[in-house]
Amino acid sequence: MDLLITGAAGFIGSALTQALRAAGHAVTALDDLSVTSPRPQPEHLQVRDVRSLTSEDLDGIDTVIHLAADKSVPRSFDIGGFEHNITVDRHMIHTFAASRARRLLMASSCEVYGQQNGPLSEISPHAPRSPYATGKAATEHLAAIYRPLLRTEQQIGIVRLFNTFGPDEAPDAVVPAFLDAAAQNQPLSVEGDGGQARDLTHIDDAVTMLSRILNSPQLLSVVNCGSGRSVTIRALAEAVIRVTGRGTITHTTPRTNEIRSFTADMRLFTTVYGPVSFRPLDQSLATTIRDRSRVWTKPIGARL
Ligand SMILES: NC(=O)c1ccc[n+]([C@@H]2O[C@H](COP(=O)([O-])OP(=O)(O)OC[C@H]3O[C@@H](n4cnc5c(N)ncnc54)[C@H](O)[C@@H]3O)[C@@H](O)[C@H]2O)c1
């Protein structure tokens, strides 16, 4: 299959590019490198802004996997991140609709659910609590607006990713921040009381799920992509201390509009794409520690 991945130098994009190429797919990897990182870039990376793509650039491409974004929730409260993602996603949808490509798979986020009780299913309403989440919700609405305008063989699918972690994740996210603190025998900073829960998926499991979607003849309009298991941030910190044998916990001020719990309802994914054997948390943390030092040997100049 001929694929285009945007955001291909990013955390998820680089892992997905590598896995799909290893599986024999022809992957065009594109990223404007606006988020810098020492993570190895995919070979033959096209350094380019998504907003410069034309429909002719998609000639010969069957499926576009659109991951490019500024994913920082806190930064989206400043001017910039929200507007960036909206214009990038709008351009991607518009360009795809005018192209000969057949499928567009777009990355949305569990953040669109906001504060709700219980496992979050795809029919739960949008209740965004940040500009970032509002942008992702707007993208989902744009996709719905464009669907009836597409050629019959064209489809747009939305995948709502939950928190993904792994060795190549940038150090500002909670898992690497805890691992780095423990490695330096520093306190692990838990925001608020630490009772907020997150659905954590190891990158290898996320890549498995995305590959299942891409290899299936069925592209769902919206599907969750998480583990279906959530862990509180305090329990995560305790797991990091258990696995590393180092570190202590300290509490800091809670984040603006913090969401109490994210847990994916994975029934739709499992029914359509099959069950996934998720790695246990302690095991995923251990492999993340083992593989992490090969990339994150020094602080980065990321804009996130
Ligand atoms: N990582 C997670 O846990 C998670 C959770 C929910 C949703 N998502 C979504 O999944 C997608 C991928 O996330 P990630 O963790 O790999 O993020 P990332 O920040 O590691 O990668 C995003 C990449 O997009 C690139 N980019 C940004 N704007 C661009 C543009 N205009 N043109 C070309 N490239 C551009 C950046 O340079 C970066 O390399 C994002 O859309 C994100 O919002 C991620």
Side-chain angles (χ1 to χ4, degrees):
M1 206 189 316
D2 285 320
L3 306 162
L4 167 67
I5 299 184
T6 75
F11 168 48
I12 297 173
S14 56
L16 188 63
T17 300
Q18 195 179 14
L20 292 172
R21 282 180 175 166
H25 298 291
V27 179
T28 302
L30 180 147
D31 198 300
D32 70 352
L33 300 180
S34 54
V35 178
T36 58
S37 109
R39 159 190 321 121
Q41 291 172 10
E43 282 182 21
H44 312 297
L45 181 73
Q46 285 190 18
V47 180
R48 189 167 170 188
D49 192 315
V50 166
R51 290 167 293 188
S52 73
L53 282 173
T54 65
S55 55
E56 289 74 32
D57 289 325
L58 304 188
D59 282 353
I61 299 290
D62 177 80
T63 300
V64 180
I65 303 133
H66 176 58
L67 303 173
D70 179 341
K71 70 169 177 183
S72 169
V73 174
R75 254 180 36 84
S76 76
F77 282 90
D78 299 327
I79 294 295
F82 168 75
E83 291 82 350
H84 177 84
N85 290 347
I86 288 285
T87 57
V88 168
D89 290 356
R90 164 98 163 92
H91 185 86
M92 189 69 255
I93 293 174
H94 190 77
T95 304
F96 167 74
S99 79
R100 295 191 185 86
R102 195 171 58 86
R103 298 187 303 175
L104 170 62
L105 180 64
M106 306 191 78
S108 182
S109 165
C110 60
E111 294 280 343
V112 299
Y113 292 118
Q115 182 68 55
Q116 301 188 39
N117 292 326
L120 300 158
S121 91
E122 291 81 354
I123 54 168
S124 306
H126 283 163
R129 280 167 60 93
S130 67
Y132 168 81
T134 306
K136 290 292 190 188
T139 295
E140 294 193 8
H141 287 295
L142 275 176
I145 289 165
Y146 269 80
R147 274 190 196 102
L149 310 177
L150 300 174
R151 289 181 292 104
T152 36
E153 67 274 25
Q154 282 187 311
Q155 286 179 294
I156 303 177
I158 301 285
V159 59
R160 289 184 185 151
L161 292 157
F162 285 64
N163 288 76
T164 309
F165 73 98
D168 287 352
E169 188 178 19
D172 56 346
V174 65
V175 173
F178 283 177
L179 293 177
D180 289 349
Q184 294 157 30
N185 232 346
Q186 298 287 318
L188 281 58
S189 293
V190 170
E191 294 173 355
D193 66 2
Q196 63 275 31
R198 295 292 177 265
D199 181 314
L200 295 173
T201 308
H202 188 267
I203 183 68
D204 292 350
D205 294 332
V207 165
T208 297
M209 287 190 276
L210 291 169
S211 302
R212 290 256 189 100
I213 295 171
L214 292 166
N215 287 322
S216 166
Q218 198 172 351
L219 185 65
L220 294 169
S221 296
V222 183
V223 68
N224 282 340
C225 207
S227 68
R229 303 170 307 194
S230 61
V231 58
T232 65
I233 297 302
R234 186 170 182 93
L236 173 67
E238 287 164 356
V240 168
I241 292 169
R242 189 166 61 240
V243 171
T244 59
R246 303 172 83 173
T248 53
I249 291 176
T250 185
H251 290 271
T252 58
T253 48
R255 180 177 283 211
T256 309
N257 280 8
E258 178 73 273
I259 292 170
R260 203 60 191 161
S261 177
F262 285 120
T263 312
D265 181 333
M266 288 300 291
R267 283 176 296 178
L268 179 61
F269 184 98
T270 305
T271 304
V272 176
Y273 301 119
V276 177
S277 315
F278 293 103
R279 289 156 178 76
L281 180 62
D282 281 26
Q283 185 191 321
S284 308
L285 289 173
T287 55
T288 300
I289 293 163
R290 187 195 61 205
D291 297 336
R292 191 165 165 69
S293 56
R294 71 184 150 77
V295 178
W296 302 105
T297 49
K298 51 183 182 290
I300 59 161
R303 82 178 158 87
L304 288 178

PDB file of all heavy atoms in Angstrom, residues 209 212-214 216-220 223 268-276:
ATOM      1  N   MET A 209      -2.362  -1.214  16.958  1.00  0.00           N
ATOM      2  CA  MET A 209      -3.758  -0.825  16.712  1.00  0.00           C
ATOM      3  C   MET A 209      -3.895  -0.019  15.416  1.00  0.00           C
ATOM      4  O   MET A 209      -4.813  -0.256  14.620  1.00  0.00           O
ATOM      5  CB  MET A 209      -4.289  -0.025  17.906  1.00  0.00           C
ATOM      6  CG  MET A 209      -4.541  -0.891  19.112  1.00  0.00           C
ATOM      7  SD  MET A 209      -5.424  -0.026  20.418  1.00  0.00           S
ATOM      8  CE  MET A 209      -4.077   0.796  21.231  1.00  0.00           C
ATOM      9  N   ARG A 212      -3.588  -2.306  12.477  1.00  0.00           N
ATOM     10  CA  ARG A 212      -4.829  -3.091  12.289  1.00  0.00           C
ATOM     11  C   ARG A 212      -5.848  -2.271  11.484  1.00  0.00           C
ATOM     12  O   ARG A 212      -6.506  -2.786  10.586  1.00  0.00           O
ATOM     13  CB  ARG A 212      -5.445  -3.437  13.639  1.00  0.00           C
ATOM     14  CG  ARG A 212      -4.661  -4.442  14.426  1.00  0.00           C
ATOM     15  CD  ARG A 212      -5.314  -5.821  14.389  1.00  0.00           C
ATOM     16  NE  ARG A 212      -4.599  -6.651  15.336  1.00  0.00           N
ATOM     17  CZ  ARG A 212      -5.027  -6.927  16.561  1.00  0.00           C
ATOM     18  NH1 ARG A 212      -6.205  -6.491  16.961  1.00  0.00           N
ATOM     19  NH2 ARG A 212      -4.314  -7.667  17.367  1.00  0.00           N
ATOM     20  N   ILE A 213      -6.004  -1.011  11.882  1.00  0.00           N
ATOM     21  CA  ILE A 213      -6.972  -0.140  11.185  1.00  0.00           C
ATOM     22  C   ILE A 213      -6.589  -0.014   9.713  1.00  0.00           C
ATOM     23  O   ILE A 213      -7.416  -0.165   8.818  1.00  0.00           O
ATOM     24  CB  ILE A 213      -7.026   1.257  11.852  1.00  0.00           C
ATOM     25  CG1 ILE A 213      -7.567   1.154  13.286  1.00  0.00           C
ATOM     26  CG2 ILE A 213      -7.860   2.230  11.019  1.00  0.00           C
ATOM     27  CD1 ILE A 213      -7.467   2.447  14.096  1.00  0.00           C
ATOM     28  N   LEU A 214      -5.296   0.232   9.468  1.00  0.00           N
ATOM     29  CA  LEU A 214      -4.841   0.466   8.095  1.00  0.00           C
ATOM     30  C   LEU A 214      -4.951  -0.789   7.235  1.00  0.00           C
ATOM     31  O   LEU A 214      -5.192  -0.704   6.031  1.00  0.00           O
ATOM     32  CB  LEU A 214      -3.392   0.963   8.108  1.00  0.00           C
ATOM     33  CG  LEU A 214      -3.227   2.362   8.704  1.00  0.00           C
ATOM     34  CD1 LEU A 214      -1.771   2.660   9.018  1.00  0.00           C
ATOM     35  CD2 LEU A 214      -3.802   3.410   7.756  1.00  0.00           C
ATOM     36  N   SER A 216      -7.216  -3.084   7.572  1.00  0.00           N
ATOM     37  CA  SER A 216      -8.595  -3.554   7.498  1.00  0.00           C
ATOM     38  C   SER A 216      -9.315  -2.890   6.319  1.00  0.00           C
ATOM     39  O   SER A 216      -9.046  -1.736   5.991  1.00  0.00           O
ATOM     40  CB  SER A 216      -9.318  -3.188   8.799  1.00  0.00           C
ATOM     41  OG  SER A 216     -10.709  -3.335   8.635  1.00  0.00           O
ATOM     42  N   PRO A 217     -10.278  -3.603   5.704  1.00  0.00           N
ATOM     43  CA  PRO A 217     -11.073  -2.953   4.655  1.00  0.00           C
ATOM     44  C   PRO A 217     -12.058  -1.940   5.239  1.00  0.00           C
ATOM     45  O   PRO A 217     -12.621  -1.121   4.507  1.00  0.00           O
ATOM     46  CB  PRO A 217     -11.815  -4.120   3.993  1.00  0.00           C
ATOM     47  CG  PRO A 217     -11.802  -5.218   5.003  1.00  0.00           C
ATOM     48  CD  PRO A 217     -10.610  -5.013   5.884  1.00  0.00           C
ATOM     49  N   GLN A 218     -12.245  -1.991   6.560  1.00  0.00           N
ATOM     50  CA  GLN A 218     -13.247  -1.121   7.179  1.00  0.00           C
ATOM     51  C   GLN A 218     -12.576   0.061   7.907  1.00  0.00           C
ATOM     52  O   GLN A 218     -11.796  -0.144   8.851  1.00  0.00           O
ATOM     53  CB  GLN A 218     -14.081  -1.924   8.183  1.00  0.00           C
ATOM     54  CG  GLN A 218     -15.379  -1.243   8.519  1.00  0.00           C
ATOM     55  CD  GLN A 218     -16.290  -2.130   9.368  1.00  0.00           C
ATOM     56  OE1 GLN A 218     -16.027  -3.310   9.575  1.00  0.00           O
ATOM     57  NE2 GLN A 218     -17.355  -1.554   9.861  1.00  0.00           N
ATOM     58  N   LEU A 219     -12.894   1.267   7.446  1.00  0.00           N
ATOM     59  CA  LEU A 219     -12.377   2.469   8.123  1.00  0.00           C
ATOM     60  C   LEU A 219     -13.551   3.118   8.847  1.00  0.00           C
ATOM     61  O   LEU A 219     -14.468   3.655   8.219  1.00  0.00           O
ATOM     62  CB  LEU A 219     -11.790   3.444   7.101  1.00  0.00           C
ATOM     63  CG  LEU A 219     -11.099   4.680   7.686  1.00  0.00           C
ATOM     64  CD1 LEU A 219      -9.861   4.291   8.487  1.00  0.00           C
ATOM     65  CD2 LEU A 219     -10.719   5.661   6.584  1.00  0.00           C
ATOM     66  N   LEU A 220     -13.526   3.036  10.182  1.00  0.00           N
ATOM     67  CA  LEU A 220     -14.628   3.600  10.972  1.00  0.00           C
ATOM     68  C   LEU A 220     -14.541   5.122  10.981  1.00  0.00           C
ATOM     69  O   LEU A 220     -13.452   5.690  10.960  1.00  0.00           O
ATOM     70  CB  LEU A 220     -14.572   3.070  12.400  1.00  0.00           C
ATOM     71  CG  LEU A 220     -14.812   1.573  12.565  1.00  0.00           C
ATOM     72  CD1 LEU A 220     -14.462   1.115  13.987  1.00  0.00           C
ATOM     73  CD2 LEU A 220     -16.260   1.220  12.251  1.00  0.00           C
ATOM     74  N   VAL A 223     -13.058   5.984  16.012  1.00  0.00           N
ATOM     75  CA  VAL A 223     -12.782   4.825  16.875  1.00  0.00           C
ATOM     76  C   VAL A 223     -11.754   5.209  17.938  1.00  0.00           C
ATOM     77  O   VAL A 223     -10.826   5.977  17.672  1.00  0.00           O
ATOM     78  CB  VAL A 223     -12.322   3.598  16.045  1.00  0.00           C
ATOM     79  CG1 VAL A 223     -10.954   3.812  15.409  1.00  0.00           C
ATOM     80  CG2 VAL A 223     -12.333   2.319  16.892  1.00  0.00           C
ATOM     81  N   LEU A 268     -15.739  -1.095  20.557  1.00  0.00           N
ATOM     82  CA  LEU A 268     -15.891  -0.920  19.102  1.00  0.00           C
ATOM     83  C   LEU A 268     -14.621  -1.369  18.382  1.00  0.00           C
ATOM     84  O   LEU A 268     -14.687  -2.123  17.397  1.00  0.00           O
ATOM     85  CB  LEU A 268     -16.212   0.551  18.779  1.00  0.00           C
ATOM     86  CG  LEU A 268     -16.376   0.867  17.292  1.00  0.00           C
ATOM     87  CD1 LEU A 268     -17.535   0.071  16.680  1.00  0.00           C
ATOM     88  CD2 LEU A 268     -16.594   2.371  17.080  1.00  0.00           C
ATOM     89  N   PHE A 269     -13.471  -0.910  18.887  1.00  0.00           N
ATOM     90  CA  PHE A 269     -12.205  -1.317  18.256  1.00  0.00           C
ATOM     91  C   PHE A 269     -12.082  -2.837  18.229  1.00  0.00           C
ATOM     92  O   PHE A 269     -11.777  -3.441  17.201  1.00  0.00           O
ATOM     93  CB  PHE A 269     -10.997  -0.705  18.993  1.00  0.00           C
ATOM     94  CG  PHE A 269      -9.693  -1.024  18.321  1.00  0.00           C
ATOM     95  CD1 PHE A 269      -9.095  -0.113  17.458  1.00  0.00           C
ATOM     96  CD2 PHE A 269      -9.069  -2.266  18.495  1.00  0.00           C
ATOM     97  CE1 PHE A 269      -7.906  -0.427  16.795  1.00  0.00           C
ATOM     98  CE2 PHE A 269      -7.893  -2.588  17.831  1.00  0.00           C
ATOM     99  CZ  PHE A 269      -7.310  -1.661  16.993  1.00  0.00           C
ATOM    100  N   THR A 270     -12.330  -3.457  19.382  1.00  0.00           N
ATOM    101  CA  THR A 270     -12.148  -4.912  19.507  1.00  0.00           C
ATOM    102  C   THR A 270     -13.091  -5.669  18.578  1.00  0.00           C
ATOM    103  O   THR A 270     -12.704  -6.655  17.938  1.00  0.00           O
ATOM    104  CB  THR A 270     -12.387  -5.330  20.977  1.00  0.00           C
ATOM    105  OG1 THR A 270     -11.524  -4.556  21.795  1.00  0.00           O
ATOM    106  CG2 THR A 270     -12.097  -6.794  21.208  1.00  0.00           C
ATOM    107  N   THR A 271     -14.329  -5.189  18.477  1.00  0.00           N
ATOM    108  CA  THR A 271     -15.306  -5.866  17.618  1.00  0.00           C
ATOM    109  C   THR A 271     -14.887  -5.805  16.149  1.00  0.00           C
ATOM    110  O   THR A 271     -14.969  -6.794  15.420  1.00  0.00           O
ATOM    111  CB  THR A 271     -16.696  -5.198  17.780  1.00  0.00           C
ATOM    112  OG1 THR A 271     -17.050  -5.234  19.147  1.00  0.00           O
ATOM    113  CG2 THR A 271     -17.757  -5.899  16.948  1.00  0.00           C
ATOM    114  N   VAL A 272     -14.404  -4.641  15.729  1.00  0.00           N
ATOM    115  CA  VAL A 272     -14.113  -4.457  14.295  1.00  0.00           C
ATOM    116  C   VAL A 272     -12.702  -4.909  13.934  1.00  0.00           C
ATOM    117  O   VAL A 272     -12.485  -5.534  12.891  1.00  0.00           O
ATOM    118  CB  VAL A 272     -14.329  -2.975  13.893  1.00  0.00           C
ATOM    119  CG1 VAL A 272     -13.942  -2.737  12.434  1.00  0.00           C
ATOM    120  CG2 VAL A 272     -15.779  -2.581  14.133  1.00  0.00           C
ATOM    121  N   TYR A 273     -11.735  -4.608  14.788  1.00  0.00           N
ATOM    122  CA  TYR A 273     -10.327  -4.852  14.426  1.00  0.00           C
ATOM    123  C   TYR A 273      -9.678  -5.977  15.239  1.00  0.00           C
ATOM    124  O   TYR A 273      -8.514  -6.296  15.032  1.00  0.00           O
ATOM    125  CB  TYR A 273      -9.513  -3.564  14.591  1.00  0.00           C
ATOM    126  CG  TYR A 273     -10.030  -2.422  13.740  1.00  0.00           C
ATOM    127  CD1 TYR A 273     -10.483  -1.230  14.317  1.00  0.00           C
ATOM    128  CD2 TYR A 273     -10.096  -2.536  12.344  1.00  0.00           C
ATOM    129  CE1 TYR A 273     -10.966  -0.186  13.534  1.00  0.00           C
ATOM    130  CE2 TYR A 273     -10.575  -1.499  11.552  1.00  0.00           C
ATOM    131  CZ  TYR A 273     -11.015  -0.323  12.158  1.00  0.00           C
ATOM    132  OH  TYR A 273     -11.497   0.694  11.383  1.00  0.00           O
ATOM    133  N   GLY A 274     -10.426  -6.548  16.190  1.00  0.00           N
ATOM    134  CA  GLY A 274      -9.905  -7.670  16.969  1.00  0.00           C
ATOM    135  C   GLY A 274      -9.255  -7.229  18.273  1.00  0.00           C
ATOM    136  O   GLY A 274      -8.854  -6.079  18.418  1.00  0.00           O
ATOM    137  N   PRO A 275      -9.145  -8.189  19.234  1.00  0.00           N
ATOM    138  CA  PRO A 275      -8.559  -7.849  20.546  1.00  0.00           C
ATOM    139  C   PRO A 275      -7.048  -7.630  20.449  1.00  0.00           C
ATOM    140  O   PRO A 275      -6.388  -8.193  19.594  1.00  0.00           O
ATOM    141  CB  PRO A 275      -8.881  -9.079  21.401  1.00  0.00           C
ATOM    142  CG  PRO A 275      -9.136 -10.181  20.437  1.00  0.00           C
ATOM    143  CD  PRO A 275      -9.594  -9.585  19.147  1.00  0.00           C
ATOM    144  N   VAL A 276      -6.551  -6.795  21.338  1.00  0.00           N
ATOM    145  CA  VAL A 276      -5.110  -6.514  21.403  1.00  0.00           C
ATOM    146  C   VAL A 276      -4.598  -7.006  22.753  1.00  0.00           C
ATOM    147  O   VAL A 276      -5.245  -6.786  23.779  1.00  0.00           O
ATOM    148  CB  VAL A 276      -4.855  -4.984  21.280  1.00  0.00           C
ATOM    149  CG1 VAL A 276      -3.371  -4.654  21.419  1.00  0.00           C
ATOM    150  CG2 VAL A 276      -5.418  -4.448  19.959  1.00  0.00           C
TER     151      VAL A 276
END
